[in-house]
Amino acid sequence: MEGNVTVQTNELFLKKKKEMQKERRNLFIRRFLSNKMAVIGSIILTFLGLTAILAPVLTSFTPYEMVAANRLQPPSAEHWFGTDNFGRDIFSRVLYGSQVSLAVGLSVALATSIIGMVVGLLAAYYRLLDHILMRICDGLMAFPAILLAIAIVAVLGPHPVNVVIALTVVKSPEVARVVRSAALVIKEQTYIEALKAQGASAMRIIFMHITPNTVSPLIIQVTYVFAIAIIIEAALSFLGAGIPAPHPSWGNILYDGKTVIFSAWWMTIFPGICIILAVLGLNLFGDGLRDLLDPHTNKANK
Amino acid sequence: MKAYTIKRLLSLLPVLLVVAVVVFFLIHLAPGDPAAVMLGPDASPQDVENLREQLGLNLPLYQQFIAWFSGVLVGDLGMSIYMNQPVLDVFLDRVGPTLSLAILAQGISIIIAIPFGIIAARKRGTLTDQGFMVFAMLGVSVPSFLLGLLLMLLFGVYLGWLPIAGYSPLSEGVWSHLQYMILPAISLGAIQAALIARMTRSSMLDILSTNYIKTAHAKGVKERLVIYKHALRNAFIPILTVLGQTFGTLVAGAVVTETVFNLPGIGQLIVQSIVRRDYAVIQGTILIIAASYVLINLIVDLLYGAVDPRVRFNKK
């Protein structure tokens, strides 16, 4: 009899918990939808992501096929964005280029989150380590991101993976700092003290109890890192030090387009619009998320 | 103030050391033998060996670092193997256009951004404010080299008002210098302007809601005086930080922007050095830029003390 009651209250408790979770999720979705910036940002990003994935369906041209007779054609019904100085279809180069640009951006965002998270948490928890790690971060942050990236790629050689490595080195300290400062606040809370008193191990406290509270600032920061990675990748490729030709990337198309800027505006305008859309989408999404998740630091929108 | 200055100066040392270590190890990232990579595939083994000897690559790593670092401390950044000139001289030869571009861009951005930020803050929540802020959002999202290409397309190719690329040094007349610099400076300054405008707006909003401003209003001080004398002075502190922090970004941006417009500055030097595999030049250049970035931030921090007495006394 007694056991039965416990089971019932347990079930009741679980049911209530589920309801509350659902309610909270619905509230978050409602707040997200009422945040114009976040919604517009995610629409732009979804659109770009879909066109990148569906590139083979959306265009019948390959980004590499050169047709000498079709050199520098302005936009037409057949070639929506025109053709370049080798007679390649710009529309398909822009679409396949967005695969490269977004993949580089996403890889950098993931890599910097992981490295930044681990470094930031360890620095926040261990005093001695903090001094060493933060001085290294300060040193790395003293380099203008784009210059250090240029130098690293110049030495390693132009290859998409090297671009990702360079950008990760350059941007991880920034993420680490954000995670560290969030973690420092959490570390002083009473519940962490209670956990220590109970004898919880350091790793358990760091990764089970501090980490979840640093996720929001991390995600916000990484959104901006994503945007900057796209900009720097485009700049590197534009300088001829990023994704090697003939692979399409937004920066490469701009690089090819610069030599013929007098006769072929379409080679600058279309990849340019894509870069602006991607960066704008990420910035809007980031600002929107910041409003949603972190009302304290919301200064831009007061 | 003195103790604060000394403390800030000391805190620079580890940062500069890390900068030096990173720059030093850059050359060792090269796949294979750096000397062989620098000389290209056609070099004879004897030449490679000579270069290894010249660069000290045969010494143990820590000795290489000490030798290199003690050179750096006295201004010896090595030799450019392509131009056969000290790196420092090569850098100084090319720094003019880059500095000119960065300073012009900073000037343009301040002139545009601060009034716009103030207006947006005063008309907070109105259509004007929202319009400015949408514009600023767009401004942050257009990379400067891309804006440069777009401006070049509009003013150089379509309207034909300005030369699309090239350079005329300041010594050959201010007007012709500006003609070549104005598009690069605008494209570089736009992002900066957007950042400063946002900072000005939020910092002004903070200040305008404080009691001393309300008191000034209540006493009947003229609106213009309240804004420019009472509010702006305090609002300027966070703006100063942004100015300092972003000046380094501006110099880095200048490097990319000037290659768009074929300005013969540091950017062109770096891009050419990549093609020539002239690693010493790349190393030296980014070392100088990173070090000056650190120094600029130091100056900004010290300037705080001058603008805001609270910093002098609180931060011990």
Side-chain angles (χ1 to χ4, degrees):
Chain A
M1 188 70 198
E2 219 173 52
N4 208 4
V5 171
T6 329
V7 169
Q8 269 184 356
T9 37
N10 232 342
E11 267 174 12
L12 209 69
F13 175 73
L14 282 177
K15 209 174 143 201
K16 263 267 171 322
K17 197 176 165 192
K18 253 190 196 146
E19 266 172 27
M20 267 171 69
Q21 275 176 344
K22 201 179 160 199
E23 214 166 279
R24 214 182 297 161
R25 205 179 316 136
N26 284 344
L27 186 70
F28 184 80
I29 293 172
R30 266 211 309 280
R31 281 181 58 205
F32 184 87
L33 288 178
S34 66
N35 184 312
K36 265 187 236 151
M37 286 196 288
V39 172
I40 297 175
S42 26
I43 291 174
I44 295 177
L45 294 178
T46 317
F47 171 75
L48 284 174
L50 281 179
T51 51
I53 294 168
L54 296 177
V57 185
L58 291 171
T59 169
S60 48
F61 297 98
T62 76
Y64 301 107
E65 193 186 310
M66 302 186 187
V67 185
N70 278 343
R71 289 179 69 241
L72 295 178
Q73 297 285 317
S76 62
E78 196 190 356
H79 298 287
W80 290 0
F81 289 180
T83 62
D84 70 4
N85 38 347
F86 296 103
R88 294 175 296 198
D89 180 50
I90 296 286
F91 181 63
S92 74
R93 280 185 74 76
V94 167
L95 286 189
Y96 283 98
S98 59
Q99 287 182 348
V100 176
S101 301
L102 293 178
V104 168
L106 195 63
S107 320
V108 173
L110 286 176
T112 51
S113 326
I114 295 169
I115 297 176
M117 183 124 224
V118 172
V119 171
L121 287 170
L122 292 179
Y125 201 79
Y126 298 104
R127 255 265 155 91
L128 186 69
L129 214 56
D130 186 32
H131 284 296
I132 303 169
L133 289 175
M134 283 307 115
R135 289 301 81 73
I136 296 176
C137 286
D138 284 344
L140 283 174
M141 283 166 85
F143 294 98
I146 198 159
L147 280 189
L148 188 55
I150 289 176
I152 295 176
V153 177
V155 178
L156 288 179
H159 188 276
V161 174
N162 293 344
V163 175
V164 173
I165 293 175
L167 290 170
T168 307
V169 172
V170 169
K171 283 288 151 190
S172 294
E174 217 171 81
V175 179
R177 282 219 160 251
V178 170
V179 172
R180 171 180 171 270
S181 60
L184 277 179
V185 177
I186 305 296
K187 197 186 137 197
E188 300 302 321
Q189 306 273 325
T190 334
Y191 78 92
I192 299 293
E193 217 171 295
L195 281 165
K196 274 189 200 156
Q198 284 175 350
S201 75
M203 285 300 132
R204 188 181 174 85
I205 294 178
I206 294 175
F207 291 103
M208 296 272 295
H209 300 280
I210 298 184
T211 308
N213 289 302
T214 60
V215 170
S216 324
L218 175 83
I219 293 176
I220 296 165
Q221 190 61 31
V222 164
T223 320
Y224 298 126
V225 169
F226 196 152
I228 289 167
I230 287 181
I231 293 179
I232 299 185
E233 183 274 309
L236 284 175
S237 300
F238 176 74
L239 295 176
I243 311 293
H247 298 293
S249 97
W250 292 334
N252 277 351
I253 306 170
L254 288 173
Y255 175 78
D256 291 335
K258 204 211 147 188
T259 47
V260 289
I261 196 164
F262 268 107
S263 44
W265 54 267
W266 51 91
M267 284 181 70
T268 301
I269 294 286
F270 293 116
I273 289 174
C274 287
I275 295 175
I276 296 174
L277 272 181
V279 177
L280 185 67
L282 285 163
N283 280 343
L284 285 171
F285 188 69
D287 284 4
L289 273 188
R290 192 180 50 188
D291 287 358
L292 278 176
L293 300 174
D294 197 3
H296 304 294
T297 59
N298 170 20
K299 275 200 168 156
N301 234 5
K302 253 186 195 163
Chain B
M1 187 67 195
K2 208 165 152 196
Y4 175 58
T5 311
I6 292 171
K7 200 186 156 210
R8 281 294 285 117
L9 276 173
L10 284 179
S11 71
L12 281 189
L13 295 180
V15 176
L16 289 174
L17 187 68
V18 173
V19 168
V21 170
V22 170
V23 170
F24 171 73
F25 277 104
L26 260 179
I27 195 171
H28 293 279
L29 284 176
D33 181 2
V37 176
M38 273 191 236
L39 290 175
D42 303 326
S44 73
Q46 186 55 46
D47 285 345
V48 174
E49 195 45 47
N50 286 344
L51 185 65
R52 283 186 66 87
E53 198 61 46
Q54 189 198 329
L55 295 174
L57 289 174
N58 292 328
L59 296 169
L61 212 53
Y62 74 95
Q63 280 186 17
Q64 285 183 40
F65 179 74
I66 292 171
W68 177 80
F69 192 61
S70 46
V72 167
L73 288 180
V74 294
D76 174 16
L77 295 169
M79 293 286 282
S80 155
I81 56 161
Y82 182 87
M83 282 170 278
N84 209 10
Q85 256 182 310
V87 171
L88 192 62
D89 293 357
V90 177
F91 180 86
L92 291 177
D93 273 353
R94 297 292 202 94
V95 79
T98 307
L99 265 187
S100 172
L101 177 57
I103 292 170
L104 263 179
Q106 184 77 290
I108 290 177
S109 63
I110 293 174
I111 293 171
I112 299 172
I114 291 186
F116 274 59
I118 293 175
I119 295 171
R122 284 179 59 192
K123 309 210 164 181
R124 171 192 182 183
T126 63
L127 214 62
T128 325
D129 176 27
Q130 283 169 356
F132 281 167
M133 286 305 113
V134 168
F135 211 68
M137 188 77 203
L138 263 174
V140 187
S141 304
V142 186
S144 61
F145 76 96
L146 180 59
L147 185 61
L149 283 172
L150 296 176
L151 288 177
M152 191 194 263
L153 206 54
L154 178 64
F155 290 102
V157 178
Y158 185 68
L159 295 170
W161 289 353
L162 290 163
I164 68 158
Y167 181 66
S168 154
L170 195 56
S171 53
E172 281 173 27
V174 177
W175 176 238
S176 63
H177 182 66
L178 282 181
Q179 236 180 356
Y180 283 106
M181 294 304 259
I182 191 78
L183 285 187
I186 292 175
S187 48
L188 185 56
I191 286 196
Q192 190 78 352
L195 283 174
I196 299 173
R198 286 167 118 189
M199 197 66 221
T200 309
R201 174 177 177 273
S202 71
S203 155
M204 270 312 248
L205 282 179
D206 282 344
I207 301 289
L208 287 179
S209 61
T210 54
N211 283 332
Y212 84 95
I213 294 293
K214 285 182 193 147
T215 312
H217 276 301
K219 283 199 309 189
V221 181
K222 273 193 201 130
E223 175 74 14
R224 183 188 289 248
L225 216 61
V226 174
I227 297 285
Y228 289 98
K229 199 171 166 205
H230 297 223
L232 190 59
R233 198 183 153 122
N234 275 315
F236 205 67
I237 295 163
I239 301 174
L240 195 65
T241 326
V242 176
L243 285 183
Q245 281 172 352
T246 49
F247 192 71
T249 327
L250 208 59
V251 173
V255 162
V256 184
T257 310
E258 69 193 31
T259 50
V260 176
F261 291 93
N262 288 344
L263 297 176
I266 297 298
Q268 218 179 43
L269 178 67
I270 292 179
V271 173
Q272 286 165 348
S273 303
I274 294 176
V275 181
R276 297 167 182 160
R277 299 179 194 286
D278 202 345
Y279 291 156
V281 174
I282 301 178
Q283 271 184 314
T285 323
I286 77 165
L287 181 68
I288 297 175
I289 294 180
S292 27
Y293 174 72
V294 173
L295 290 181
I296 289 172
N297 275 339
L298 170 78
I299 295 170
V300 171
D301 264 13
L302 295 180
L303 274 180
Y304 276 167
V307 182
D308 185 356
R310 280 171 300 183
V311 177
R312 274 195 300 248
F313 298 113
N314 288 341
K315 275 196 189 169
K316 275 178 191 151

